[in-house]
Structures are given as structure tokens and as C-alpha cells.
Amino acid sequence: MGEGTVLRHLKRSHGHIRTAAKTVLLTLILTGTAAATPYRGIVPQADATADPVTLTGHDLTVDQLVAVARHGQKVVVSPEAADHQDEAHGLLLEAAAEGVPIAGFNRAADGTAVLFDGDPTAPETAAMLRQKALAAFESGGSAAGAEIADEETVRAMMVVRANTLTYTPAGTGVTELLLRLLNDRITPAVSAANPLGGIAAAMVGKGDVYYHGIRMPAAQALSQAGLTPLAPVDDDYDALTGTEAYTTARTALLVADGRRMLEWSDLIFAMDLNGMNAGIAPLSLPAQENRPLKWTYWDAGRVLDMVKGGYLLTEDSPTPRPHPPGLDLSVTRQGAAWRAWGNLRDVVLVALNSSDQTPVLRPGLSQRESRELGSPRMLKYYVKGGRTNDGKRGFVIPALNRDPAPLEVEVEAFAAAVGMLNRAVAQRIAVPPPAAQPATDDGLVPVGRAHQLLETAFGLLAIDLGNAATLMEQRQAENPARAFGAAPTAAWIAFHMAAPGSDAARRFIDANQPSAFYPKGEPPLGSDDAIPLAQEKMDR
């Protein structure tokens, strides 16, 4: 059955967003108005029989993080990662026993005052450290500030920290309980001001949690799940909380949502091209080769592939219909947004799979492995190895790796690119350009603003989808045999068959993955741009 025959049997009432609905949606986009939800729990979708995500500390993907954080996938830690964490813990203890100064452990945070000297495993010292660690865990959830209302965000942060604990001197009990909280869906109620502190408090039975979405005291949830509260030791609190895992988690979710938005933007752009009977010259190979930007070239080829087999490549239109200027800008704006997304993805993958811990613990590292390590200033951080850690050497180095600037720089660039794309989409659908997004007050201004811009993008694309579907219907009425390409047609038919309503297009976008209609076109690896296109010839 041909496209025209199928579509003649679809209900026309499902084909577009009505004028009143468009006005309501546009108001929400431009004012930022949305219904307040006290707590947004996840809806687990993971297959209970699926293999769990294995955390190794070095190969966690954004898709895996989303599977655990949003969909309830189970998670385990690899034996190698657990062993490395044990070695880091042993190295910390041996370093203190050998008199290596460690700020926050045997020395004050500023590195001056002596907190204790000698072997931390000595009975009196060990008891003091346990008492100190427990007090820190119990007070961790006392920070004032707005509660994080999205369960997926807290769970994402827990996944990030569970993956990177392999680089820390945390005791094994910390990782084991953190994994149980994830797998049993015990999600601490935490403040954005100190989210890891709130998780620490929940681990010792303090504060509140959401147990399968129901709020209750942490001690009650642990008991119902058959879990024993953590008995922290040594430097467990700093090992758990000394991280930018919250920033990394929010940014990883931004990468996931950003890719989905860009894929929808490409597909709806292809539908617009069909609906507006637009020219394809800006997408053509000569146009792209004259300005060799890899991501724009890739995206142009992707959109051309979507309309392949459609009338834009088979019909000559002597009188092309006028179209808004935003249509001409779309390919470059989308290419720029993809490029910014690629840069952000790359730095997020580094953050997910490396350590931002202070101090830096490197079990097994020798002073002969790098010239500076043998210098007098570095040798004072060298651990020879002894009874406390089975003679394993290494370094415990005071280095601050927690600076979020590498992430924030790329977040800002992606936010700017999404804002420019939003303005092009607004021109395509003839609505006022979106107002500047206000800064957020959650301590993560760049990430919060970028998430707001993505929400605006999805709203604008919902209007665009409704318009494109209506215009495609008009083009098909002009010539019932007219084809539009497999991907635009599949999305168009599915949208026609969706439940009608004022928010039909947004519900359709939220409920469907664009890859269901166009599964090809994996984004390029690496973020280098302006390279010879001969090295990156793609199937166009």
C-alpha cells in the first residue's frame, strides 16, 4: 500500500496542532510556566532478566548511566575495580603510617595542624577515626537548600560516584551499600547544596529517602530492604563526598537529552523540507565541501538521507513555495549544535570515567615512572609500602582535580548553540524568538540553564512537528502519489495515529525515540572540525 493510500485512511483530526493548542504551548515555552511537581520519581522500565551494568571505573557510557538512573537497570562493580579501591584504601593507611602528610586525614584541611600521627590502624586511632567518620556521615544531610526533586538526577549522581569510587580510599562497605541503594531503589532525599552529604546520611540511617517512590525515614527503608546501616571507617566520608559527581551526573543527562533533541530536530527539519517544498541546495555536497565543517557535513548528509526516495529529489518545482528564513539557517545551526554536543559528550565521558578526588591515590606507581616523581618535592608523597598494605608502593598526591570548569565551558557552548538553533526553529514556525533563559539558583547555573534551553527546544519542536505534518498533508493532497522519504513518512503516519489533544505533538515527542523512525546516523567519534572531507566521506 502506497503512502498516499495509507494517509487517505487516517483521521485528519489527528494531523496538526489546533490554533488554540499552539497558543497554549507557545505561552508555556515563552513564559517558562509549568505545573509544579513535588517529586518526580522514575518509572522503572528495565528488563529484570537483563544483565546488570558493570562498573569498571573506565568505560561507563551515557546510555548505561541513563539505563540505571532513569530505567532502573541493575548495577554491579567489577572485581578489578573493587580490588583497585581496596588498594587505594590500603595505600592511604600505609601513607599515614609512614608519616606522609594527607590533608583532611592525618593533617587539617589546610595541611598544617596534625590530626594524628602514626599507624591509623592502631586501636585508639582506628576508634577515633570511626567515631569521626560516623559523625560526618550523620551530619551530611543537614545542609539547607532546595531538595533535588528528580529521582533520576539523584540516581545518576549515585551511578557516577559508584563508578569512580574505584579511585578513592573508601572502604568496601561504601560501594556495596551504594549499589544496594541503587538496585533496591532507595533514593535519598538530598539538598542541591550538599547532595553527596545527603546520600552519606542515608547510608547510616539518617534523614529521609524515597523507597520505590514513597518517602520515609532512611532507617525504616534500610530495615524494610533488609540492609544494615553503614559503619564508616577511616576517610570514608571525604572519599564518598569529595567529588563533583552531581555536576557530572546533571551534565551526562544533558548529553542524553541533547542528543534526543537534536535527532528530533533533524527529523522534523526533514519533514519541514517536504511540507514547504523547499530546495535541497544548502544540503548538497558542493555547498558542504566549500565550507568543510565535519559536523555540518555529517548532519546535511543525514537529513538528505532522510528525504531520499521522496519528491524533493525526484520532482522539479518550477515555482518553489516561499519559506521562512529559519529554514535556510537550520542546517548550519543544527550542525553547530551537533558539534557543541560532540565536544560536551567527549568531556563528559572523561568525567564519568576518571577521578576528581583529592588527594590523588596511585597504588603501584614508582618514582621512576616520571622524572618529576623522583624530585625531593614529590618524594615526600611517596609510599614505600609496608604491613598495612602488603608492601605495595605508590603515591598519595595533594592535587585538586575537582574544578568543574572543563565541563562548564562545554556546557555553556552547547547552551549557546541550542539557543541559536531555537531561534531558527522559531523563525520556521513564525513565532517570537524565545526569551533569554534566567539563571538558575541550584548552584549549577550553566547546567541548569542548558536544561531549560533544551526544554524550550522540545516545546518549539512540538509546534514545528504539528505544522510540518499539516504541510505534508497539503503536499500529499496536491499529488496523492507523492513520496516524502521513509523516515519523514514513518514519523508523519505515527503522529497522525497518535491520540489527539492540545499537547498531542509534545506527548508524541516525549513518548517516541526519533531513532525509531530513522535508526541510522551514529554521531561521529571525536570532535575535531574543519578537516578534509576526503577523510570523512559519508554515505550520502
Side-chain angles (χ1 to χ4, degrees):
M1 184 180 291
E3 294 172 8
T5 306
V6 172
L7 291 167
R8 281 195 296 272
H9 290 81
L10 295 174
K11 293 182 178 179
R12 300 286 181 170
S13 61
H14 291 188
H16 60 88
I17 299 178
R18 304 296 184 187
T19 302
K22 178 176 175 178
T23 302
V24 170
L25 183 55
L26 180 59
T27 301
L28 292 176
I29 293 169
L30 298 181
T31 63
T33 305
T37 305
Y39 185 73
R40 293 174 286 272
I42 67 168
V43 179
Q45 301 171 5
D47 182 355
T49 64
D51 292 335
V53 171
T54 299
L55 303 178
T56 67
H58 58 78
D59 59 3
L60 178 66
T61 68
V62 171
D63 287 345
Q64 288 175 324
L65 180 141
V66 169
V68 178
R70 286 183 172 164
H71 307 312
Q73 185 87 11
K74 302 299 184 183
V75 61
V76 297
V77 67
S78 72
E80 295 79 11
D83 289 345
H84 191 277
Q85 183 179 325
D86 283 341
E87 291 177 356
H89 185 203
L91 186 68
L92 178 85
L93 300 179
E94 178 59 26
E98 293 182 15
V100 175
I102 307 167
F105 186 52
N106 62 357
R107 299 293 183 269
D110 61 4
T112 55
V114 176
L115 302 181
F116 72 89
D117 265 329
D119 187 355
T121 65
E124 289 187 4
T125 305
M128 179 272 294
L129 290 172
R130 286 195 298 270
Q131 183 179 10
K132 179 182 176 182
L134 180 59
F137 270 77
E138 288 179 338
S139 63
S142 61
E147 183 179 307
I148 299 173
D150 291 293
E151 183 178 12
E152 67 175 37
T153 301
V154 179
R155 284 177 58 85
M157 176 176 58
M158 294 164 70
V159 177
V160 173
R161 198 52 181 146
N163 189 54
T164 56
L165 275 175
T166 182
Y167 301 102
T168 76
T172 56
V174 175
T175 303
E176 291 171 356
L177 185 54
L178 190 57
L179 295 179
R180 287 298 304 269
L181 295 182
L182 281 166
N183 291 337
D184 291 344
R185 202 184 157 201
I186 300 174
T187 307
V190 301
S191 164
N194 185 18
L196 269 299
I199 290 173
M203 296 175 96
V204 295
K206 299 297 181 180
D208 286 351
V209 301
Y210 292 90
Y211 186 28
H212 292 272
I214 300 173
R215 189 172 183 132
M216 64 180 66
Q220 179 183 344
L222 292 175
S223 176
Q224 289 187 16
L227 301 176
T228 302
L230 178 70
V233 298
D234 303 324
D235 203 30
D236 277 358
Y237 184 76
D238 285 343
L240 174 66
T241 63
T243 175
E244 294 297 325
Y246 180 36
T247 303
T248 302
R250 292 264 330 252
T251 310
L253 293 175
L254 178 69
V255 168
D257 293 340
R259 174 173 177 172
R260 189 166 175 274
M261 183 278 290
L262 290 170
E263 289 181 343
W264 267 120
S265 185
D266 285 345
L267 181 55
I268 294 171
F269 177 42
M271 296 174 70
D272 277 330
L273 292 173
N274 277 298
M276 297 180 186
N277 190 17
I280 58 170
L283 303 170
S284 66
L285 181 63
Q288 296 304 313
E289 284 189 324
N290 264 23
R291 196 177 189 189
L293 298 172
K294 180 179 74 172
W295 285 89
T296 303
Y297 179 80
W298 169 80
D299 194 51
R302 174 179 159 84
V303 175
L304 273 179
D305 192 55
M306 290 180 184
V307 301
K308 184 171 64 177
Y311 83 107
L312 296 179
L313 292 169
T314 59
E315 289 185 15
D316 178 25
S317 178
T319 55
R321 296 174 179 274
H323 53 267
L327 200 68
D328 292 331
L329 293 172
S330 293
V331 64
T332 52
R333 297 285 174 90
Q334 288 175 198
W338 271 112
R339 182 179 190 270
W341 175 89
N343 291 341
L344 181 61
R345 172 204 58 190
D346 292 350
V347 74
V348 162
L349 289 175
V350 172
L352 287 178
N353 294 291
S354 60
S355 175
D356 59 358
Q357 192 76 23
T358 301
V360 172
L361 293 110
R362 290 295 304 274
L365 191 64
S366 165
Q367 72 268 38
R368 292 186 296 273
E369 295 187 42
S370 180
R371 178 176 298 176
E372 78 279 1
L373 294 181
S375 68
R377 297 193 181 207
M378 293 299 296
L379 284 175
K380 62 184 177 181
Y381 307 120
Y382 179 60
V383 182
K384 301 178 183 67
R387 177 190 60 80
T388 307
N389 73 335
D390 296 326
K392 181 157 289 191
R393 68 191 178 194
F395 276 85
V396 179
I397 302 172
L400 183 63
N401 289 333
R402 289 184 58 184
D403 187 356
L407 278 177
E408 291 186 352
V409 166
E410 301 303 341
V411 169
E412 290 279 22
F414 180 61
V418 172
M420 294 179 71
L421 177 58
N422 285 348
R423 289 192 287 276
V425 175
Q427 286 183 312
R428 284 205 318 243
I429 58 179
V431 301
Q437 297 291 339
T440 61
D441 59 359
D442 62 358
L444 287 172
V445 173
V447 183
R449 179 173 176 270
H451 277 284
Q452 290 175 337
L453 284 163
L454 274 189
E455 180 61 25
T456 297
F458 279 117
L460 290 168
L461 288 172
I463 298 176
D464 197 4
L465 173 62
N467 286 353
T470 299
L471 291 172
M472 287 175 69
E473 186 173 310
Q474 293 173 5
R475 302 290 80 75
Q476 198 267 336
E478 293 170 354
N479 181 0
R482 181 171 277 160
F484 301 116
T489 300
W492 180 36
I493 292 175
F495 178 50
H496 271 278
M497 297 178 66
S502 61
D503 61 345
R506 182 57 194 267
R507 282 189 287 106
F508 180 80
I509 287 175
D510 289 344
N512 292 277
Q513 292 292 338
S515 57
F517 308 109
Y518 185 76
K520 299 187 292 183
E522 187 68 18
L525 296 175
S527 52
D528 291 335
D529 218 329
I531 62 172
L533 292 183
Q535 299 175 21
E536 289 288 333
K537 288 295 183 184
M538 303 172 192
D539 181 10
R540 295 165 65 94

